[in-house]
Amino acid sequence: MTFIKNLLSYLSLPVQQSINNKPVYIPRDKHMLSRKNISPEALQVLYKLHKSGYKALLVGGGVRDSLLKRTPKDFDIVTNAHPEQVTSLFRRCRLIGRRFVLAHVYISKEIIEVATFRASHKNNNAGIIQDGRIIRDNVYGKTVDEDAVRRDFTINAIYYDISNLSLFDYANGMEDLNNGVIRLIGDPIQRYKEDPVRMLRAIRFVAKLDFTMAPETAAPITDLANLLKNIPAARLFEEVQKLFLSGHAVKSLQQMREYNLFAQLFPLTESCLNDPIAARLIQEVLENTDARQQNNQTITAGFLFAALLWPPLSNLLPKEQAKGVNQQEVLFEAIEYLLKQQQKHVAIPRRIAILMQEIWLLQLRLTRPRRGKKKNFKLLQHPRFRAGYDFLVLRVKAGEQEVASEAAWWTKFQQRK
Ligand code: ATP
Ligand code: MG
């Protein structure tokens, strides 16, 4: 099978992974997914649905990552119960989403996502398609077969059925899982047009799992990258967070740049990346973020975003300080302008934007002429001093030599007895 696919793509003939009419059935004793891999809360939800007479299956990352012997981030459940029926089964349950309605079931401190099987669109009120893009995806299906077609990648369409503990592989996902391949189900161009976020998901899984993209899945991305402009900026923020705050930020950026996706999300930053200092700053902050993630240290999204947007921000600031100009005011104006431009692409929530602003303003306070002991001690007490100082050190590491002596001064000042 792999040989034929590779041969077809070598010959530039269209290859397409379609859904198997009959899924590959893998009974319990022929696969490695055990109930021990599944969180007790997710199991509870699966069994409650099952005992209430509904179909209940695990799908997506929970199955995929368990089969890869990785700890899943979350467990996604699918059922033939409609969202209202799911709500009536669980005491703490909330329906969320408009584009894609699903139930959030709260058990202990966990949130388990329960989605109803989707079916193909009839362009009625529940499922709306505009210029090939799915605006609303709430046409419910009755069977897993219908649901499988709507999944994005083959490795995400392996279902674990709680009624018999078997796996159902609808799109040869097992083979791709074993070969480390990210492959879209169906016609890649159509699938990306339906939901351009799938382009970001494709590279995210490449980065996260260290997989490669099937040639036909990779081929259309660069040309279609600009479709991301139609996606609400808030949804893109969610995706950017997953790309950069999950321990694989360096690879995510490299992949995003390779496919022209970074320029869609951070155009102002992209235009600075020819500058080696800017490129090093971003590389450095992403490496730090990945290392912190691996060591289970806290990660501050504000710090990361402050770094991502520092190169375009500093380009907006005058290189020479004119006399009589209030530097803080100039900086404020530049920040306001920059954030306004950036928010058009990726919405940055207020609490994060506030932290970014504090870090940036501290750069000014940490590098202007010193004003006496009392003021220096006061700055040390600033709730964001640590973030501001770390940011200054990061800039020096990236090659901003002009602030090196200031950073060294603050390092020494903190070490004084
Ligand atoms: P992870 O949770 O580790 O980020 P995941 O694959 O579980 O990865 P989710 O966003 O939790 O990703 O989605 C769960 C499943 O829902 C996916 O595995 C996939 O089958 C389906 N899915 C999610 N987003 C899309 C999409 N944009 N288009 C098609 N199917 C999707
Ligand atoms: Mg998931």
Side-chain angles (χ1 to χ4, degrees):
M1 189 63 193
T2 313
F3 171 74
I4 296 173
K5 275 182 200 157
N6 288 346
L7 183 70
L8 285 174
S9 55
Y10 176 73
L11 297 170
S12 299
L13 294 174
V15 265
Q16 190 168 310
Q17 177 60 57
S18 52
I19 287 291
N20 301 332
N21 283 338
K22 257 192 183 304
V24 177
Y25 168 73
I26 309 167
R28 173 64 195 97
D29 58 345
K30 293 276 183 315
H31 69 75
M32 298 298 290
L33 206 164
S34 128
R35 274 171 290 182
K36 287 200 199 80
N37 301 124
I38 305 170
S39 78
E41 294 81 8
L43 274 178
Q44 203 178 318
V45 175
L46 283 165
Y47 275 117
K48 175 96 179 183
L49 285 163
H50 174 57
K51 286 182 182 148
S52 308
Y54 296 111
K55 288 179 189 149
L57 304 99
L58 203 61
V59 69
V63 178
R64 180 195 67 220
D65 293 351
S66 301
L67 290 172
L68 290 171
K69 301 209 174 3
R70 302 170 67 104
T71 311
K73 183 169 66 61
D74 49 31
F75 292 93
D76 305 289
I77 291 173
V78 272
T79 178
N80 57 346
H82 281 206
E84 309 73 47
Q85 293 170 316
V86 177
T87 322
S88 67
L89 284 183
F90 297 96
R91 207 163 47 84
R92 289 163 60 214
C93 179
R94 213 158 64 95
L95 297 188
I96 62 142
R98 230 172 77 82
R99 186 182 58 85
F100 191 95
V101 176
L102 46 82
H104 270 179
V105 180
Y106 298 80
I107 298 180
S108 321
K109 284 190 182 131
E110 294 288 306
I111 304 175
I112 309 292
E113 278 190 6
V114 181
T116 303
F117 293 151
R118 275 0 190 227
S120 70
H121 283 261
K122 294 170 195 76
N123 227 345
N124 57 27
N125 223 5
I128 298 175
I129 302 182
Q130 234 171 50
D131 303 327
R133 184 157 71 99
I134 298 178
I135 308 289
R136 210 172 295 165
D137 194 1
N138 294 316
V139 181
Y140 301 127
K142 290 194 171 50
T143 62
V144 189
D145 305 32
E146 289 172 287
D147 188 80
V149 190
R150 322 245 353 109
R151 301 272 150 194
D152 46 9
F153 305 104
T154 60
I155 57 167
N156 287 347
I158 307 170
Y159 294 75
Y160 173 79
D161 188 341
I162 200 67
S163 71
N164 55 14
L165 312 182
S166 314
L167 294 180
F168 292 92
D169 178 7
Y170 275 85
N172 297 330
M174 280 298 210
E175 190 183 319
D176 284 339
L177 210 56
N178 290 332
N179 294 329
V181 177
I182 304 296
R183 190 188 308 277
L184 266 177
I185 296 170
D187 170 36
I189 293 180
Q190 184 198 334
R191 299 306 310 278
Y192 287 137
K193 283 187 174 167
E194 281 174 2
D195 182 4
V197 170
R198 288 174 186 150
M199 296 186 277
L200 291 173
R201 289 178 58 85
I203 66 120
R204 173 154 70 85
F205 292 127
V206 165
K208 170 177 163 159
L209 305 173
D210 213 9
F211 277 25
T212 48
M213 245 190 273
E216 78 278 7
T217 298
I221 298 185
T222 308
D223 282 348
L224 299 181
N226 74 347
L227 292 179
L228 285 175
K229 67 179 185 302
N230 301 323
I231 304 298
R235 187 171 173 217
L236 291 179
F237 175 76
E238 297 295 320
E239 289 304 318
V240 166
Q241 262 195 313
K242 290 183 200 165
L243 284 157
F244 287 149
L245 300 174
S246 312
H248 48 76
V250 170
K251 184 126 192 231
S252 292
L253 177 72
Q254 177 258 321
Q255 287 285 305
M256 284 166 89
R257 293 201 71 210
E258 183 172 335
Y259 290 100
N260 188 29
L261 294 166
F262 189 69
Q264 311 301 320
L265 303 181
F266 292 93
L268 300 146
T269 307
E270 172 72 35
S271 64
C272 297
L273 289 181
N274 285 334
D275 170 5
I277 293 181
R280 222 171 305 143
L281 181 90
I282 286 167
Q283 180 71 14
E284 193 73 40
V285 78
L286 296 182
E287 278 174 13
N288 287 351
T289 311
D290 285 348
R292 292 185 70 87
Q293 179 79 28
Q294 259 123 48
N295 300 330
N296 287 324
Q297 291 169 283
T298 52
I299 296 173
T300 322
F303 190 89
L304 172 68
F305 280 93
L308 280 175
L309 291 169
W310 175 253
L313 179 65
S314 50
N315 279 352
L316 287 172
L317 302 172
K319 294 284 162 272
E320 302 282 326
Q321 298 306 334
K323 271 206 181 113
V325 174
N326 183 333
Q327 284 187 52
Q328 183 151 314
E329 243 164 56
V330 174
L331 179 58
F332 260 128
E333 264 178 43
I335 292 175
E336 198 180 328
Y337 172 81
L338 181 84
L339 286 180
K340 205 167 153 204
Q341 296 301 313
Q342 178 57 42
Q343 304 276 24
K344 290 180 190 164
H345 309 279
V346 176
I348 299 172
R350 226 180 104 72
R351 72 189 155 79
I352 294 180
I354 288 173
L355 178 56
M356 293 162 69
Q357 183 160 330
E358 283 176 320
I359 290 172
W360 290 335
L361 287 169
L362 273 167
Q363 300 312 296
L364 199 62
R365 294 181 65 185
L366 290 167
T367 53
R368 68 183 165 195
R370 227 125 282 117
R371 293 190 185 157
K373 229 171 170 181
K374 222 170 149 188
K375 284 236 160 80
N376 294 335
F377 276 110
K378 204 169 159 217
L379 197 50
L380 212 56
Q381 305 302 320
H382 190 291
R384 298 295 179 208
F385 174 83
R386 186 76 222 174
Y389 164 77
D390 285 348
F391 197 88
L392 186 62
V393 172
L394 181 78
R395 289 170 58 197
V396 176
K397 233 174 155 184
E400 282 194 52
Q401 280 314 312
E402 55 278 26
V403 290
S405 61
E406 313 289 345
W409 191 91
W410 281 105
T411 306
K412 231 170 155 187
F413 185 65
Q414 291 174 82
Q415 288 160 351
R416 88 219 167 280
K417 291 273 183 306

